[in-house]
Amino acid sequence: MASTQTYPKILHADQEHAGLRTAVFVLLFISFILAFFGIRALLTALSDAGTPDYAFVASCGGALPLALGLVWVVEKLMKQYWPSGRAVVLTQDGVQTKAEGAEPIKLDAANDVEPTAWHFDMRGWQRGGRERRLPRTWLCLAVELKAEKKQISVYTYMPSQQADSWLDAENGRIQFHKISPKDVYDNSIRSRMSGPSRPEIPAAVLTGADGKYWLAERRRWTEGFELPPKEFEQFMDHIQTTLEL
């Protein structure tokens, strides 16, 4: 529970940052090459007739899972020891942001904080970037905390089964409103040929019933702090306790 935490508690955001993704790609390439030649050399050493005919296929087939396994382990370690420099900090009386080159934003119990919470799924629209790499069964859950001119946007991606407890309308927590990306994303064949991109949100959507959620979603694209599911749940429990939301 939040009361047992030692403060401040830093929740590192955007763990799959650009530097890490580049390093993972390079490591995957190098690992595959090394595994390929390693397996090929082993097969040659075990054969009395030199390099066997099946060496190329076997080396390719064996190198890929080896490289993927190695990169998966290294990526887990890199996420722990190579932070993005952006974080959400839980404090004794509230929450604040931390980002290189930007002033921290702090909200506490003294502020009149208004939460806006929304969610959407990964099906039926043209995803790009981070969202494109997620399973279609996952959801995005997002919360924007706003007090006067200050606002903090925090979000996560998680499996639908895990998200269900947060979307239960009878659980007494902040209620997440569902929005549909299909309302704003262009799914035409032409758009698919040109590649995914963030859309211009139609005025009719912004002035409609979901308008405030789409305004918050648009801010999430540029200002949001992505947390892993476990850390997002810590964040949610904390703000509901300290900010009395």
Side-chain angles (χ1 to χ4, degrees):
M1 296 180 63
S3 59
T4 64
Q5 295 285 359
T6 300
Y7 297 103
K9 181 175 179 58
I10 299 176
L11 306 178
H12 293 289
D14 307 326
Q15 292 189 2
E16 295 194 11
H17 52 88
L20 184 141
R21 292 198 303 270
T22 301
V24 166
F25 177 80
V26 173
L27 178 61
L28 179 61
F29 176 77
I30 294 174
S31 299
F32 178 82
I33 296 298
L34 292 177
F36 173 85
F37 284 106
I39 294 173
R40 184 182 177 88
L42 178 62
L43 293 174
T44 300
L46 295 175
S47 174
D48 295 332
T51 304
D53 295 337
Y54 58 83
F56 179 82
V57 175
S59 298
C60 287
L64 183 58
L66 284 175
L68 290 173
L70 174 63
V71 169
W72 182 81
V73 172
V74 174
E75 183 181 4
K76 293 290 185 182
L77 294 173
M78 290 171 67
K79 286 181 178 180
Q80 296 180 31
Y81 299 104
W82 187 7
S84 67
R86 305 181 78 237
V88 177
V89 182
L90 308 184
T91 62
Q92 185 71 42
D93 59 351
V95 62
Q96 72 178 49
T97 62
K98 177 184 177 183
E100 295 178 356
E103 290 292 325
I105 301 172
K106 183 176 182 180
L107 298 175
D108 55 39
N111 301 117
D112 185 14
V113 179
E114 177 184 353
T116 299
W118 67 101
H119 72 96
F120 58 88
D121 59 42
M122 299 291 127
R123 293 189 178 96
W125 54 283
Q126 189 178 7
R127 299 178 292 159
R130 169 87 169 100
E131 292 161 344
R132 191 173 188 175
R133 300 191 297 274
L134 297 170
R136 292 179 179 271
T137 55
W138 282 36
L139 302 178
C140 176
L141 276 64
V143 175
E144 182 181 81
L145 304 177
K146 193 170 185 179
E148 297 180 349
K149 295 183 179 181
K150 298 189 295 184
Q151 59 199 24
I152 296 175
S153 180
V154 179
Y155 65 100
T156 191
Y157 300 104
M158 64 173 62
S160 57
Q161 298 91 336
Q162 186 177 355
D164 283 345
S165 63
W166 293 98
L167 305 183
D168 184 357
E170 298 180 356
N171 64 9
R173 295 169 171 175
I174 294 174
Q175 298 304 307
F176 288 81
H177 180 81
K178 183 177 182 179
I179 62 174
S180 176
K182 290 183 288 187
D183 292 341
V184 301
Y185 280 83
D186 183 3
N187 286 311
S188 66
I189 295 178
R190 179 179 180 181
S191 68
R192 292 178 184 275
M193 294 292 290
S194 61
S197 62
R198 294 297 189 189
E200 289 291 333
I201 303 176
V205 173
L206 294 177
T207 58
D210 293 345
K212 75 170 186 176
Y213 298 101
W214 277 109
L215 286 171
E217 170 67 5
R218 187 167 64 183
R219 288 189 289 269
R220 181 187 73 85
W221 298 342
T222 57
E223 304 171 10
F225 289 76
E226 182 191 347
L227 295 177
K230 181 179 179 180
E231 283 78 356
F232 181 80
E233 292 181 343
Q234 292 178 20
F235 166 80
M236 290 296 298
D237 288 336
H238 179 77
I239 63 172
Q240 289 177 107
T241 300
T242 59
L243 301 179
E244 300 181 356
L245 300 178

